[in-house]
Every structure is written in C-alpha cells, then in structure tokens.
Amino acid sequence: MEDQFIKTSSLIGDPTRASILWTLMDGRAFTATELAVSVNTSPQNISMHLGKLLDADLLCVEKQGRHKYYRFSNKEVAYALEAMASLVPKPEVSLKNKPENYPPIKFCRTCYDHLTGKIGVAVTDSLLEQEIIVEKNNAFEISKEGEKWFSDLGINLEEAQKQKRIFLKPCLDWSERRNHIAGSVGTLLFNKMINEDWLRKTENSRAIIVTGKGEAALLKYFKIVV
Amino acid sequence: MEDQFIKTSSLIGDPTRASILWTLMDGRAFTATELAVSVNTSPQNISMHLGKLLDADLLCVEKQGRHKYYRFSNKEVAYALEAMASLVPKPEVSLKNKPENYPPIKFCRTCYDHLTGKIGVAVTDSLLEQEIIVEKNNAFEISKEGEKWFSDLGINLEEAQKQKRIFLKPCLDWSERRNHIAGSVGTLLFNKMINEDWLRKTENSRAIIVTGKGEAALLKYFKIVV
DNA sequence: ATCATAGTTAAGCGCAGAATGAACTATTGC
DNA sequence: GCAATAGTTCATTCTGCGCTTAACTATGAT
C-alpha cells in the first residue's frame, strides 16, 4: 500500500499534472488542447501527462468526434484535491482588501447541498450588496426587505426556520476563500435554482452548469453576469 | 492560489516526503532518525525534507533533549493524506484471501467516532471470530450470544436500537482495506473503551493510544495482542 | 575532559523524468 | 480529393532537485 500511495502522490505532485488537475477542479470536462493552453505547455506534453493520469484512473475520457474530453473519473479525486488545497499556507489577509471584480462566471460547485465556487460567493455578495442578508458579528441575518425578496422568489422562510438544522450560516469556500451561505436557507436557494432549471447538476462531479435560463435569472435577481 | 496548490502538491509528491507523511499517518510523533530509518535514507536527507515540510506548515516539531519529535501540525493534513490514499488504484482482491496475521498493534485511528486502523479491524475480526457479530449479505448482525456479550460489557443495545442513526454497519478502512464496525454500536464500543481508559485520545491528531489497562482488556475481551 | 549520539548546513554530483522535435493517425470541412 | 485541426508516439535532449560527502553544533553519557 505504501508504495502505491507514493506513486499516486508523485503522480499528483508533478507541477504540470497538478496544474491540469487544478484546471479540472471546476468539474467541467476539457479537451487536451484546452488543457495544454491552460497549463501552458505543448500538446505532446499534455498528451503524455494525461496518459499517466488516465492510467492511474484519476481521469477519464469521452471521445466526441476529433475531440477528447477529459474530466475526473470520480468525485473522490475532487475531494482529495480539495483536501490538499486546504493545506496551502494561508496568506496574511488584511480585512480591508476589496473583493476583486470577478471575471464572468463559467461554473460553480456544490458543497453537498448548497452553492459554492464562484457562483456561491457571487450570490452571497449580491445578497449582501442588496441588503437582503446582513452580516452581524460573523453571522448572517435576513433583513426586513430580505424576507419580502425571498417570499417573492417563492421561498418560504417560516418553513425553514422550523427545521432543526442550522437556519443560515456562512461557510468558507476553500478556493475562493470567501464566505457563502449555507444552512437551510442556502439549501432552499440552491434547490430553487435547480428546480427552476437555472442550474443543472452534472453526473460524475460536483460541478454545476448554468443554463441559459439561469443566466437570465442570475442577472435579474442577483445582478450577476455569467 | 494555483501556484500555491502546485507547490503544496509537489511538496507532498516527492517520494521521500510522501513516505515520511505515510509513516506519520498513524498519528504518533517520530524523531528525525526514526523517520530516516523508516523511509530508508540518510539523516541529512531527512533533515532537509523535514525542513521543507515544516516550512509548509504540514508538520510541527517538539524538542525533547537531543531528540526532535515530528508530527502533523493539524488534522487537516491527515485528512488530505487519507483522501489521497483513497485514490490509489484498487487491486483485484480475491475474497478467498486469508486475513494475514497482523503484527502487534501499536496504534489506531478514529473514523470520527468509531474505531478504525489496525485496532478497529482487529476488534471487528475478533467479534466475527467469536461470533458476537455475524456477517449476512454485506451487513453485520448481532448474534444471540453477542447480545449477552455486549450486556456483560455494560453496553445497552436496546438503547442503541432506538436511536435514529444506523445501528450497525461495516465501514471500509482505507489503509487496511478491511471492514470495521461503524454505526451506533461502533460508537458505543468506542466510547466504552475511552471511558474505561483502555484507549486515550491524542491532542492534535486522530490517533488513539492504547493504555496499559487497554492492553489487558483488549487481550481479555478480544484476544488481541497489542 | 572525551566520546557517542542527534540533528543541521553547505557544495557538487547524478539521474529520473519532464520537455522538445519530428513523424505519425484520425476526424472535420471544403 | 486536399488541407486543417486534434491528438498520439517515439527518440532525444536537458534540467531541477534529491542525494551524498563532509564539516559543523548540541545534548547526553562515562
């Protein structure tokens, strides 16, 4: 077992491969060429590395015409990489740091049952911005206007408040290093988005794709440009 | 963030360092020399690698006289390594494989609230051997004699059966690749062992140490030689 | 004091394995 | 058919980084 572990870790440990895996972390499938561009290396080199990752069963491929789409072969891979990512030394963050302007969002992930990734953070930012939720000593609270906003959306907060589970809490996203909403409110919002087909789950990963309908809705309700 | 991730993964990815981390996985602290022996390399080399792991805050040291004891600096490290270990390609296992004779047990880990690691597996084996629990189509059941055994130990099974959570289920240990008991029965057994001071929790890791009292008890109740 | 053991630091070598170059197959579009 | 794009294979080059040799400090034992 030990040497197997060592093999796997050196497989992941190579800078180029680590970069490939990092790129795939958003859950989408990428073609070989896309990955080559993303990690800034040659096609042959990418091909070699992808071969090794396939052999180790970390990735799988789907052929579509002359393209080959690579993605994680199962969600354990994503979990492991997330766990590794959580180990990176935390930079000294000043609280004054302005949140940067995020580039258009292409993807999001789920943190089991609520939204995370770029979208999760953006949604949370938007709710704060619109003062639908407000931060109070490291916790989130729903404002008066917020209650109206949620009921307009068709989300019944009274229901949620009755549940045993935590109603609303911030949850730190490991990659964005930003808070996003979790708790039953996070779940309700997430389910709403799925049910309305704004978002769609993917098969083998925790990735979520944004539908065309979703793009419009995100813009309308959250002023988020996808 | 990406380059930070790459740095961390190549840090873990080096074969020697991976072997060090693997050794430390049991949760105990090791001296530099012990690690050098364990991973079969020179003291200088170990020193260099340990330095890097310290810099990255994956390990921490405690000085005792002329010895330096190294261990994981926090449990996230162990979690990440476990997640990575779960990625190793599964060998074709024949079900006929006899369980090997395990060497004396020096450590165990907890799977959040029940026993795992060598002891967890050994305890489970013992319960099966003594027919206190029996395997039935991939599930565990408690036998007639088993019920007496548990009540003799002072564990109230009726209580546990009333609980909402799963009563008794096998849980695959990632490193031993063997089943051990989880569910509320696993938890009860684990708590019993902690309360009786057979086992003792350690501070910063998921490691559990076996006390002298525990050694005797494990021998008596489970015929396990620690 | 002296010797042994534990661990660190610095400098140069050596090699596994990543990157490159060139030649190849496969699919799409015209 | 031909050209263009996507991806792979193999032989060769090259280089980063781990390992060693050697000299060092520190603690403990006699």
Side-chain angles (χ1 to χ4, degrees):
Chain A
M1 176 85 188
E2 174 171 2
D3 47 347
Q4 298 269 2
F5 172 78
I6 293 175
K7 268 187 199 163
T8 304
S9 53
S10 37
L11 195 76
I12 300 174
D14 172 75
T16 305
R17 284 190 292 267
S19 184
I20 293 173
L21 294 169
W22 181 261
T23 305
L24 291 172
M25 279 281 270
D26 69 20
R28 287 182 299 164
F30 284 73
T31 67
T33 313
E34 283 172 336
L35 288 169
V37 171
S38 165
V39 311
N40 193 32
T41 186
S42 65
Q44 320 91 287
N45 203 26
I46 274 289
S47 185
M48 189 257 309
H49 287 300
L50 289 175
K52 294 190 177 184
L53 292 168
L54 283 177
D55 282 344
D57 205 39
L58 295 188
L59 301 188
C60 61
V61 222
E62 205 171 330
K63 204 176 173 183
Q64 269 176 39
R66 56 178 164 179
H67 293 280
K68 281 187 167 185
Y69 285 93
Y70 291 85
R71 57 182 166 77
F72 294 150
S73 57
N74 57 60
K75 54 182 182 316
E76 276 67 33
V77 179
Y79 291 153
L81 294 170
E82 292 200 8
M84 288 176 66
S86 77
L87 298 182
V88 316
K90 292 177 184 93
E92 302 296 315
V93 264
S94 124
L95 289 172
K96 292 163 216 154
N97 276 352
K98 273 189 192 174
E100 316 87 80
N101 281 326
Y102 287 97
I105 293 149
K106 293 227 177 53
F107 58 89
C108 37
R109 290 167 296 117
T110 54
C111 196
Y112 306 104
D113 65 359
H114 59 279
L115 267 181
T116 175
K118 287 201 200 305
I119 286 228
V121 172
V123 160
T124 307
D125 279 351
S126 168
L127 293 176
L128 285 166
E129 181 94 21
Q130 299 181 65
E131 293 183 340
I132 291 164
I133 60 176
V134 288
E135 198 166 355
K136 236 173 210 172
N137 41 309
N138 267 330
F140 289 151
E141 278 180 27
I142 294 174
S143 67
K144 263 267 155 60
E145 309 87 80
E147 283 174 17
K148 183 180 177 326
W149 186 90
F150 273 102
S151 74
D152 284 354
L153 236 170
I155 290 178
N156 190 345
L157 290 177
E158 274 89 61
E159 266 302 271
Q161 243 143 351
K162 277 183 214 143
Q163 287 185 249
K164 260 168 287 177
R165 64 177 292 193
I166 293 149
F167 178 61
L168 177 62
K169 66 163 183 178
C171 171
L172 190 65
D173 188 63
W174 61 265
S175 74
E176 307 293 336
R177 295 207 173 283
R178 302 279 309 287
N179 274 326
H180 58 271
I181 51 167
S184 50
V185 172
T187 304
L188 282 170
L189 207 48
F190 175 59
N191 288 339
K192 171 79 179 178
M193 289 172 162
I194 293 288
N195 291 336
E196 294 285 339
D197 199 39
W198 298 353
L199 307 179
R200 216 172 283 164
K201 295 187 186 185
T202 55
E203 264 215 326
N204 283 300
S205 80
R206 288 166 58 191
I208 298 286
I209 59 161
V210 181
T211 63
K213 200 178 163 192
E215 256 180 63
L218 285 171
L219 182 59
K220 179 177 171 192
Y221 291 101
F222 304 99
K223 329 267 188 273
I224 295 172
V225 181
V226 181
Chain B
M1 178 86 187
E2 173 172 1
D3 48 347
Q4 298 269 2
F5 172 78
I6 293 175
K7 269 188 199 162
T8 304
S9 52
S10 37
L11 194 75
I12 300 174
D14 171 75
T16 306
R17 285 191 291 268
S19 184
I20 293 173
L21 294 169
W22 181 262
T23 305
L24 291 171
M25 279 282 269
D26 69 21
R28 287 182 299 164
F30 284 74
T31 66
T33 313
E34 282 172 337
L35 288 170
V37 172
S38 165
V39 311
N40 192 31
T41 186
S42 65
Q44 320 89 288
N45 202 26
I46 274 289
S47 186
M48 187 259 306
H49 287 301
L50 289 174
K52 293 188 180 183
L53 291 168
L54 283 176
D55 282 344
D57 206 38
L58 295 187
L59 302 187
C60 61
V61 221
E62 205 171 329
K63 205 176 171 180
Q64 268 176 41
R66 55 177 166 178
H67 293 280
K68 281 187 166 184
Y69 285 93
Y70 291 85
R71 56 181 167 76
F72 293 150
S73 57
N74 56 61
K75 56 183 182 314
E76 276 68 33
V77 180
Y79 292 152
L81 294 170
E82 293 200 6
M84 288 176 65
S86 76
L87 299 183
V88 317
K90 294 177 182 89
E92 302 296 315
V93 265
S94 128
L95 289 172
K96 292 163 215 153
N97 276 351
K98 272 191 192 173
E100 316 85 83
N101 281 326
Y102 287 97
I105 293 148
K106 293 228 178 52
F107 57 89
C108 37
R109 292 167 295 116
T110 53
C111 196
Y112 307 105
D113 66 359
H114 60 279
L115 267 182
T116 175
K118 287 200 199 307
I119 286 228
V121 172
V123 161
T124 307
D125 279 351
S126 168
L127 293 176
L128 285 166
E129 181 94 22
Q130 299 181 65
E131 292 182 339
I132 290 163
I133 60 176
V134 289
E135 197 165 356
K136 236 172 210 172
N137 41 308
N138 266 329
F140 289 151
E141 277 180 27
I142 294 174
S143 67
K144 263 267 155 60
E145 310 89 78
E147 283 171 16
K148 183 179 177 329
W149 186 91
F150 273 102
S151 74
D152 283 354
L153 237 169
I155 291 177
N156 190 345
L157 290 178
E158 274 89 63
E159 269 297 275
Q161 243 143 351
K162 278 182 213 144
Q163 286 185 248
K164 260 167 288 177
R165 64 176 294 193
I166 293 148
F167 178 61
L168 177 62
K169 65 162 184 180
C171 171
L172 190 65
D173 188 62
W174 60 266
S175 72
E176 308 293 336
R177 295 207 174 285
R178 302 280 308 286
N179 274 326
H180 58 270
I181 50 167
S184 50
V185 172
T187 305
L188 282 170
L189 207 48
F190 176 57
N191 288 340
K192 171 80 179 177
M193 289 172 162
I194 293 289
N195 292 336
E196 294 285 339
D197 199 38
W198 298 353
L199 306 179
R200 217 173 280 166
K201 295 187 186 185
T202 55
E203 265 215 324
N204 282 301
S205 81
R206 288 167 59 192
I208 298 286
I209 59 162
V210 181
T211 64
K213 200 178 164 193
E215 257 181 61
L218 285 171
L219 182 58
K220 179 177 171 192
Y221 291 102
F222 303 99
K223 328 270 187 273
I224 294 172
V225 181
V226 180

